[in-house]
Amino acid sequence: MSNSGDILLLGIGTAGSRAAYYIYQRGGLPGLRILAVDSGDAVHEIPSALQSAELPLPPKMPVGEAAREANAVLNSTIDFHLHGARMLFIVTFLGGNTGAYYTQTALDYAKTHGIPAAALVAMPHEFDSDECKWIANDALDTLRAQHFQVLSLDCQSFGAFFPDQEREAAYPQAVRWIAETTLGHLKLFTIGEASRQGNANSNAAGRSLPDMALGDLSRGIFTNVPATFFNGENLDLPTYWRQHSKQ
C-alpha cells in the first residue's frame, strides 16, 4: 500500500459535516480528501465548497430491506470517493440518528474491504435530551462491541471547560473540538517525502546554530526512557539538542 498520505475524511451528519468544513477552511492536510454526507433535507446545509452526498433517512431497524438500501447508498458513495485511499477517518456526533447509524455502516464497509478505519465521535452535552444520550451511548457500545476503532470526545464531562458557556455556543465549540482533534490525530499519517525532506533540512539548519548550554536541560516525560524515533528522526528534542549542540 502506497504511503501517499491519501486519507478519506468522512463527515457524517450535521456536526460531522460542519467539522469537515472547519478542517477544509483550515487548509486540511496533505493528501486529505474530504467528503460530507447527511440524510434528508439536512444535506442542503452542507457548504457547497465540500464534496457531499445525500443519504436516506436512517432506518428504524438495522436489518431488513430499508437498512440494506440505506447501507447500499453509503457504501457506493464511499466506494466512489475512497479509490486509492489508504485510510478512512470518520467524524460525527453520535447523539443524532444519522451519525449513530451510518458510522457503523461506514466502519463495517472499511473492515469488509480491509481498509484501516477509525471514527472520532462527539458525545452529547449535559443539557441534551435523555433520548440523545441513549442513542449516543447505545451506538458507542455497539461500535466498541464490534471492535471498531472509536475515539470519543465527552462533551458532558468536558463541555464546562469550553471558553463560552452559553448554550448556543456549545455545539460550534464541540465541532471545533472534533476538527482540531482530527487534525492532530491525522497529521503524522500525512507526512510525505517532501515533509520528511523538509525535516531533514530543518535538522541540518538546527545543527548549525550557535552552541547552547543544554547539558542540564530537563528531559521531562522522556526521563529514564529511550528516545522516540519516527521515520529515523529523534522526536525527543532535549536529547536531540544535547547530541547535536556540540557538533
Side-chain angles (χ1 to χ4, degrees):
M1 189 174 293
S2 172
N3 186 25
S4 64
D6 285 336
I7 298 173
L8 177 61
L9 174 67
L10 180 63
I12 300 180
T14 301
S17 296
R18 289 176 179 172
Y21 185 58
Y22 182 94
I23 293 169
Y24 170 81
Q25 288 181 309
R26 283 284 307 273
L29 291 168
L32 185 68
R33 310 174 192 173
I34 301 177
L35 172 66
V37 297
D38 210 338
S39 59
D41 293 337
V43 72
H44 301 302
E45 298 180 13
I46 298 175
S48 58
L50 290 182
Q51 288 192 324
S52 63
E54 181 177 355
L55 303 175
L57 292 172
K60 295 181 179 180
M61 297 292 292
V63 294
E65 186 61 27
R68 285 191 291 272
E69 291 178 358
N71 294 351
V73 172
L74 179 61
N75 289 346
S76 63
T77 300
I78 295 176
D79 193 56
F80 179 79
H81 290 275
L82 192 63
H83 54 88
R86 62 191 180 94
M87 183 188 301
L88 174 66
F89 196 82
I90 300 163
V91 291
T92 193
F93 172 64
L94 277 192
N97 288 316
T98 299
Y101 182 84
Y102 283 110
T103 297
Q104 180 178 351
T105 303
L107 289 173
D108 187 62
Y109 172 93
K111 182 178 181 180
T112 301
H113 290 76
I115 299 167
L120 178 66
V121 302
M123 303 298 285
H125 296 79
E126 174 64 34
F127 54 78
D128 282 319
S129 68
D130 290 340
E131 180 184 10
C132 178
K133 294 175 183 177
W134 183 89
I135 291 173
N137 289 325
D138 182 66
L140 185 60
D141 289 344
T142 299
L143 294 172
R144 287 180 170 166
Q146 296 184 32
H147 306 290
F148 291 131
Q149 299 298 319
V150 182
L151 301 85
S152 62
L153 301 181
D154 190 347
C155 295
Q156 181 168 323
S157 297
F158 293 94
F161 295 101
F162 286 150
D164 191 339
Q165 287 299 301
E166 296 295 326
R167 181 172 294 192
E168 57 269 21
Y171 294 113
Q173 288 176 123
V175 164
R176 183 176 179 183
W177 192 17
I178 297 171
E180 294 287 0
T181 303
T182 298
L183 287 168
H185 184 84
L186 293 179
K187 187 173 183 179
L188 281 177
F189 298 114
T190 60
I191 297 177
E193 189 63 37
S195 295
R196 286 195 292 273
Q197 183 62 42
N199 288 337
N201 293 338
S202 297
N203 292 338
R207 288 194 289 273
S208 66
L209 290 173
D211 188 18
M212 293 180 285
L214 297 170
D216 297 326
L217 184 63
S218 171
R219 296 187 69 213
I221 63 172
F222 299 107
T223 302
N224 298 324
V225 298
T228 301
F229 288 85
F230 178 78
N231 285 336
E233 180 185 356
N234 187 344
L235 299 185
D236 176 358
L237 294 183
T239 297
Y240 180 90
W241 289 332
R242 280 195 196 89
Q243 292 172 348
H244 295 87
S245 62
K246 300 299 183 182
Q247 297 182 7

